[in-house]
Amino acid sequence: MKHNRVIQLSMILTMFLLVCSCKTLSMAVTPTDLPAVPTESFQETAQILTDNQVGSQNPPGNGTVVESAHASVPVKYASDACLVELKKDLDEAYGNEESPSNDNRRSISRSKSKPDSDDGSVTLVTYTVKGDKISSPVLGKKIPSEYKKYTKDSELHNRIWKLITDIIPLDQRKDLDQFILFTDGQDSITGSVGEGSTPDTWSVEIDVLDSENLATLSTTLVYEFGHMLTLGASQVKYYADTCQYYMASDGCSREDSYINGFYNQFWWNLYDEWKSYAKPDENGEVNEDGAYAFYEKYPDQFVSDYAATHPEEDIAESWTYFIYSDVPKGDTIAEQKIQFFYMFPELVEMRRQMQNNLCNYSKE
């Protein structure tokens, strides 16, 4: 009898281990099972992280300074009045709460050529960047006579560069090595980012004719920085031929990258359908009408129609809303994409810093 009991217990234990192994295997093949995906809802996670920044239930407004639960230095939050102004800037740049016109956007690809390409843009001046400083200006070639005056306007150049350094934290500009001023005429492309002087660096490019509109320029800079943040060398292995994670425009995303987590949460089950609409070519160019048709099919999944043109545009657009707006209270996919960034304490802190810097330029 004792021997039979041992056999029975062994069989029960074996069956239990088999069940656990099956469960583990099932979880391992789930596309969304990444470290970046929270167990709580996005809204709950966003609120938890926002609260923990100051160790209280509600972050104070009106420029209140409090002691951070995670640092010995005071944490200052943007005033309520400034947040209202930032929201106005977002609405102005994005068409008064309607979908953005896309006219001031340029798709990102680090392998694309700089201005002077077939889009009609002309490089005016290229600066070398080192930290907060720009130097060694190099004039572009074949500059039309009406644009030559902008090549000598150092006051304008420095004003635009100061806005860039004020908005984008210094530690996030370590791979930025070129500042390019160009134009493609009035009210077309405001700015972009691309490959710098070497494959592992970045350039930031601003149209001097469109730089006077602060709302458009600042939101464009935040949006373009979203590309640098999510497609930088710490996030993507450039020029990889194969990839077991999300294959970005210029290489394989790293397992714990923001773009890989974003793709696995919001895109993996729609990606093939999106491709059938957008028909991206080998250079990443998409059929704009097809991408818009995809947006019209899933309007509650995107913060703007432009976000539907590519997963990498989607995360950059959602990032812009993360910086310029409050924590969304709803549960649409578009709102969850904004809430996604609250999963990362370093991005919540970056949002606070960038909002404070943007407030210095607000109409408050």
Side-chain angles (χ1 to χ4, degrees):
M1 291 290 292
K2 186 174 182 180
H3 179 69
N4 289 341
R5 284 178 184 171
V6 170
I7 293 175
Q8 289 173 351
L9 287 171
S10 298
M11 291 177 65
I12 291 171
L13 180 59
T14 301
M15 292 177 66
F16 175 76
L17 291 173
L18 284 171
V19 170
C20 290
S21 298
C22 290
K23 268 190 174 181
T24 302
L25 182 60
S26 174
M27 291 172 65
V29 298
T30 304
T32 55
D33 184 30
L34 293 176
V37 179
T39 54
E40 306 93 342
S41 71
F42 280 111
Q43 188 172 340
E44 290 170 344
T45 305
Q47 193 60 56
I48 289 169
L49 277 181
T50 304
D51 292 347
N52 286 344
Q53 283 297 105
V54 294
S56 63
Q57 290 302 309
N58 295 296
N62 300 318
T64 304
V65 176
V66 297
E67 290 297 324
S68 169
H70 305 294
S72 59
V73 296
V75 172
K76 181 179 178 181
Y77 279 82
S79 69
D80 292 338
C82 176
L83 293 177
V84 170
E85 294 299 330
L86 293 183
K87 182 60 167 60
K88 288 181 181 178
D89 287 346
L90 183 69
D91 293 343
E92 178 183 340
Y94 276 49
N96 297 319
E97 300 183 338
E98 297 175 359
S99 298
S101 67
N102 301 346
D103 288 341
N104 67 332
R105 304 297 187 193
R106 174 185 288 180
S107 296
I108 174 65
S109 176
R110 289 172 44 79
S111 59
K112 279 188 178 178
S113 61
K114 294 180 173 60
D116 294 326
S117 61
D118 57 6
D119 63 5
S121 59
V122 178
T123 297
L124 302 178
V125 186
T126 298
Y127 285 93
T128 297
V129 172
K130 189 171 183 180
D132 284 335
K133 306 296 184 181
I134 53 175
S135 63
S136 307
V138 177
L139 296 184
K141 301 177 181 179
K142 298 180 180 179
I143 300 174
S145 58
E146 66 268 30
Y147 297 143
K148 286 185 178 179
K149 63 181 179 180
Y150 295 106
T151 65
K152 303 175 183 178
D153 194 344
S154 58
E155 183 178 349
L156 173 63
H157 303 176
N158 288 322
R159 178 178 62 80
I160 297 172
W161 176 245
K162 186 176 187 304
L163 179 65
I164 293 172
T165 59
D166 283 349
I167 291 178
I168 304 175
L170 177 60
D171 63 341
Q172 298 298 319
R173 287 184 272 115
K174 61 183 182 299
D175 295 328
L176 180 63
D177 82 333
Q178 285 188 325
F179 170 46
I180 300 174
L181 295 165
F182 76 97
T183 189
D184 57 359
Q186 194 81 40
D187 297 326
S188 187
I189 296 168
T190 300
S192 68
V193 290
E195 188 176 303
S197 62
T198 61
D200 57 346
T201 59
W202 290 83
S203 65
V204 60
E205 303 151 20
I206 301 297
D207 189 326
V208 294
L209 295 187
D210 296 328
S211 64
E212 292 299 323
N213 187 318
L214 186 60
T216 299
L217 181 58
S218 62
T219 52
T220 298
L221 284 172
V222 170
Y223 157 84
E224 297 294 351
F225 169 56
H227 284 312
M228 293 174 59
L229 178 72
T230 57
L231 298 174
S234 66
Q235 303 289 306
V236 174
K237 297 177 182 177
Y238 294 147
Y239 312 118
D241 294 326
T242 60
C243 187
Q244 68 180 107
Y245 307 114
Y246 169 69
M247 181 56 116
S249 298
D250 295 299
C252 179
S253 65
R254 301 179 190 276
E255 180 181 9
D256 60 351
S257 64
Y258 302 127
I259 186 65
N260 191 45
F262 191 86
Y263 173 86
N264 278 274
Q265 187 62 30
F266 302 113
W267 273 87
W268 72 271
N269 59 337
L270 288 175
Y271 191 66
D272 288 341
E273 183 181 3
W274 168 79
K275 287 197 295 185
S276 71
Y277 278 80
K279 296 180 171 55
D281 63 21
E282 59 182 11
N283 296 318
E285 299 291 341
V286 302
N287 180 294
E288 293 183 1
D289 291 336
Y292 187 76
F294 185 74
Y295 165 77
E296 287 189 310
K297 184 175 181 180
Y298 300 106
D300 65 340
Q301 296 206 24
F302 300 97
V303 296
S304 70
D305 59 346
Y306 189 64
T309 59
H310 200 280
E312 290 157 35
E313 303 298 347
D314 191 15
I315 195 172
E317 290 281 90
S318 302
W319 162 262
T320 305
Y321 274 77
F322 167 70
I323 296 297
Y324 274 89
S325 58
D326 293 330
V327 181
K329 303 303 182 184
D331 58 0
T332 66
I333 299 298
E335 289 170 309
Q336 289 181 28
K337 287 177 178 177
I338 302 172
Q339 294 162 0
F340 169 85
F341 298 100
Y342 287 95
M343 292 160 44
F344 306 96
E346 71 275 15
L347 299 185
V348 175
E349 171 60 16
M350 196 182 301
R351 173 180 182 266
R352 181 193 65 79
Q353 292 179 21
M354 292 179 70
Q355 282 188 341
N356 278 327
N357 293 340
L358 287 163
C359 284
N360 293 327
Y361 289 89
S362 75
K363 305 183 183 86
E364 182 184 358

